[in-house]
Amino acid sequence: MTIHLKSAADIDKMRVVGRLAAEVLEMIGPHVQPGISTGELDRICHDYIVNTQKAIPAPLNYNGFPKSICTSVNHVICHGIPSDGKILKSGDIINVDVTVLKDGFHGDTSKMFCVGEVADHAKRLIRTSQECLYKAIAIVKPGTTLGDIGHVIQQHGEAQNYSIVREYCGHGIGRIFHEEPQVLHYGQPGMGLRLVAGMTFTIEPMLNAGSRLTKLSKKDGWTVTTKDHRLSAQWEHTLAVTEDGCEVLTKRSDEAL
Ligand code: MF3
Ligand code: CO
Ligand code: CO
């Protein structure tokens, strides 16, 4: 098990790429409207990352993934593949997950968008999953354990009667897109790895309205859906552990943090 601790110079680079990833989400927001296809959202993000940011969309060709972002609509939990045939309609909820690679380092972040008018129960799922991420971020500092992080997410999600997806998790990130450690979104206080300054990882809780059980598409090998086809929501940030807390490397302008 190798955890790559980052130097101050490494974190300077991760701050730059983290900001780029956040800016992609800020840029795409106004485009997420009824009638647009997820394939079009992918093209807009791809062209922005490549042409404007002079960076690389890390998902493209990653383990054979065919597109530049993940777009996960309604009962799709994660790793949805953008497609020209998938047209967004009013009432949909969508996670857009962006990973940018620049100067040797990755920044990975995702957020939920509401398409047109969305039902209150769906908004509540979205809000609770974001609160789970924020509550986890609030405890990240040297001495906190990975179990502490999983625990606060699980507690808050389950207290609202949602379930937490277990098959997919946050991850160390840096020169490598997915590196150690695995950051589970459930767990017990005091258990697991103890954080130290210089660690960089993502937290990316997925909450389901119904059962936590997942299904991986046999057709495309990527799309993960809820087994019961009820809604799922996810938010993700890339963080660096500092001497006295953490820095959210993918913070957007609309976030206090
Ligand atoms: N961005 C996803 C994550 O949060 C990973 C996507 S991998 C892909 O870790 F190949 F599906 F793009
Ligand atoms: Co990630
Ligand atoms: Co991601």
Side-chain angles (χ1 to χ4, degrees):
M1 158 123 150
T2 317
I3 291 179
H4 299 286
L5 292 184
K6 278 72 178 183
S7 67
D10 293 341
I11 290 176
D12 286 345
K13 291 179 184 169
M14 290 193 67
R15 190 177 293 115
V16 171
V17 74
R19 180 74 200 131
L20 293 178
E23 282 170 0
V24 177
L25 291 178
E26 293 171 352
M27 178 280 298
I28 203 64
H31 294 279
V32 182
Q33 298 291 344
I36 197 168
S37 71
T38 56
E40 185 64 22
L41 294 176
D42 176 73
R43 268 189 297 282
I44 296 167
C45 290
H46 172 277
D47 292 353
Y48 185 77
I49 294 166
V50 170
N51 300 326
T52 304
Q53 298 186 329
K54 311 289 183 203
I56 296 166
L60 188 58
N61 302 317
Y62 177 78
N63 292 156
F65 191 79
K67 297 288 181 177
S68 296
I69 60 172
C70 297
T71 49
S72 301
V73 180
N74 295 339
H75 69 291
V76 177
I77 298 171
C78 63
H79 303 167
I81 303 175
S83 131
D84 292 341
K86 178 66 187 173
I87 312 286
L88 297 181
K89 60 180 192 307
S90 183
D92 285 344
I93 63 170
I94 178 175
N95 175 279
V96 176
D97 192 338
V98 170
T99 311
V100 176
L101 168 61
K102 183 148 177 161
D103 208 5
F105 287 89
H106 294 80
D108 187 7
T109 185
S110 78
K111 69 168 283 187
M112 298 299 300
F113 295 95
C114 290
V115 184
E117 288 304 310
V118 164
D120 283 341
H121 67 87
K123 285 187 195 155
R124 197 174 71 91
L125 173 67
I126 289 173
R127 191 185 331 125
T128 304
S129 53
Q130 187 177 33
E131 288 165 359
C132 284
L133 173 58
Y134 287 169
K135 282 176 182 289
I137 289 171
I139 64 164
V140 173
K141 62 175 189 300
T144 295
T145 69
L146 290 180
D148 296 333
I149 292 174
H151 182 72
V152 296
I153 293 167
Q154 183 177 15
Q155 278 295 116
H156 187 62
E158 291 181 351
Q160 309 296 317
N161 278 94
Y162 296 127
S163 63
I164 314 291
V165 172
R166 300 200 178 197
E167 289 89 343
Y168 303 88
C169 59
H171 49 91
I173 183 168
R175 290 190 180 278
I176 301 171
F177 190 168
H178 295 102
E179 61 184 29
E180 289 173 298
Q182 293 200 84
V183 181
L184 302 182
H185 303 119
Y186 60 95
Q188 294 160 12
M191 299 293 288
L193 185 75
R194 215 163 270 285
L195 303 182
V196 300
M199 288 180 177
T200 51
F201 57 87
T202 73
I203 303 177
E204 47 184 298
M206 288 146 270
L207 268 64
N208 294 350
S211 146
R212 69 172 179 82
L213 298 178
T214 67
K215 193 165 156 246
L216 175 63
S217 166
K218 286 197 188 89
K219 242 188 179 148
D220 64 32
W222 282 102
T223 307
V224 179
T225 60
T226 56
K227 209 169 174 184
D228 60 12
H229 278 223
R230 292 184 63 185
L231 294 179
S232 187
Q234 177 179 31
W235 296 78
E236 175 176 27
H237 272 311
T238 297
L239 320 173
V241 182
T242 60
E243 295 300 334
D244 60 352
C246 72
E247 183 177 345
V248 181
L249 300 172
T250 48
K251 192 178 89 61
R252 297 181 304 280
S253 320
D254 63 287
E255 294 180 297
L257 293 173

